[in-house]
Amino acid sequence: DMTAEEFKAMQSGETVAPKEEEAVSPAADVLGKAMEAAASQSEASAALDEAFAALEEEEEKLAAQLGLESVEELEVAIDTMQGIADDGGELDQSNLAREARVRSAYIDWCKEYGKSTDEDRFPTFSSNFLAMEAYSKENNKEMALNKYADCTEEEYAELMGQKATGKEEKKEPAPVVE
C-alpha cells in the first residue's frame, strides 16, 4: 500500500523513501513500477505529439516551397515518385520516370502561369503534355506549353467561343425592331 503522500510524490516524479519501520510490500512495489511506467508513457506520448506537430509544419513549408496547395498534394507527388499508385498499389516502373517528368513540368507550368496545382486537373495536363511531346517528336518541331495546357478540348473550345468541333459558333441575328 501507498500513502497519499507517496502517491502524490510518485505522480510528480519525486521519490519518497519509506519510513524505516515500514517495509515496502510487494504490492506497493508493483504499483510503484506501474506508476513509473505510466509516467514514462505519458512523457513519450507528449514527445510524439511534439514531433508530429513539427513534422506537419515542415511538410507545409515544403509543399509551399514546391508550389503545391497542400500537404495532400505533396504526399501524392512523393508517393508517385516512390512508385505508389493512388490506390496504394505499385506504379508501373517503366512509367515512373515519365510520371516524374510530367509532374515536374506541371509544377513548373503552374508557377509560370500563376496557377495552383490541382490533382483534378493534372490528368488532363498530363494527357495534353504527352500528346504535345509525341507530336513534337514525330514532326521534329519544337513545341511549348501555353496557358491552356490543363484544358480539355471542350473547355478550350468554350474559352475560344467555339463548339467542340472546332467551328465557330453560329449566332442568331438579332431581331430587327422597326
Side-chain angles (χ1 to χ4, degrees), residues 21-173:
E21 67 269 2
E22 295 178 12
V24 177
S25 72
D29 189 41
V30 169
L31 182 58
K33 287 180 180 178
M35 293 298 295
E36 288 175 12
S40 179
Q41 283 182 330
S42 178
E43 289 173 14
S45 180
L48 285 172
D49 288 344
E50 188 177 316
F52 180 75
L55 179 60
E56 277 185 321
E57 187 177 320
E58 288 300 314
E59 287 177 330
E60 288 171 6
K61 286 180 186 176
L62 180 58
Q65 287 174 343
L66 293 172
L68 302 172
E69 286 286 313
S70 66
V71 172
E72 289 77 22
E73 287 184 15
L74 174 64
E75 289 171 353
V76 168
I78 290 170
D79 284 350
T80 300
M81 292 167 66
Q82 292 179 337
I84 301 170
D86 290 339
D87 63 2
E90 284 188 39
L91 288 174
D92 180 3
Q93 293 298 317
S94 63
N95 293 331
L96 192 54
R98 181 188 74 190
E99 177 74 18
R101 183 173 40 82
V102 173
R103 191 161 292 280
S104 176
Y106 180 61
I107 290 170
D108 291 343
W109 175 82
C110 286
K111 286 179 184 176
E112 181 178 344
Y113 289 99
K115 296 190 176 203
S116 298
T117 56
D118 181 349
E119 287 303 310
D120 293 332
R121 305 235 18 111
F122 176 74
T124 302
F125 173 89
S126 179
S127 175
N128 291 342
F129 178 86
L130 293 171
M132 181 196 73
E133 190 177 62
Y135 180 85
S136 175
K137 188 175 183 178
E138 289 169 9
N139 294 290
N140 200 26
K141 290 186 175 187
E142 189 172 324
M143 306 278 295
L145 297 170
N146 63 23
K147 65 182 180 180
Y148 304 108
D150 68 339
C151 292
T152 63
E153 288 183 44
E154 292 79 17
E155 291 169 331
Y156 178 75
E158 187 177 312
L159 288 168
M160 298 294 109
Q162 301 172 347
K163 290 186 179 178
T165 60
K167 297 179 183 175
E168 287 198 27
E169 200 173 309
K170 292 182 180 181
K171 296 182 180 178
E172 295 293 322

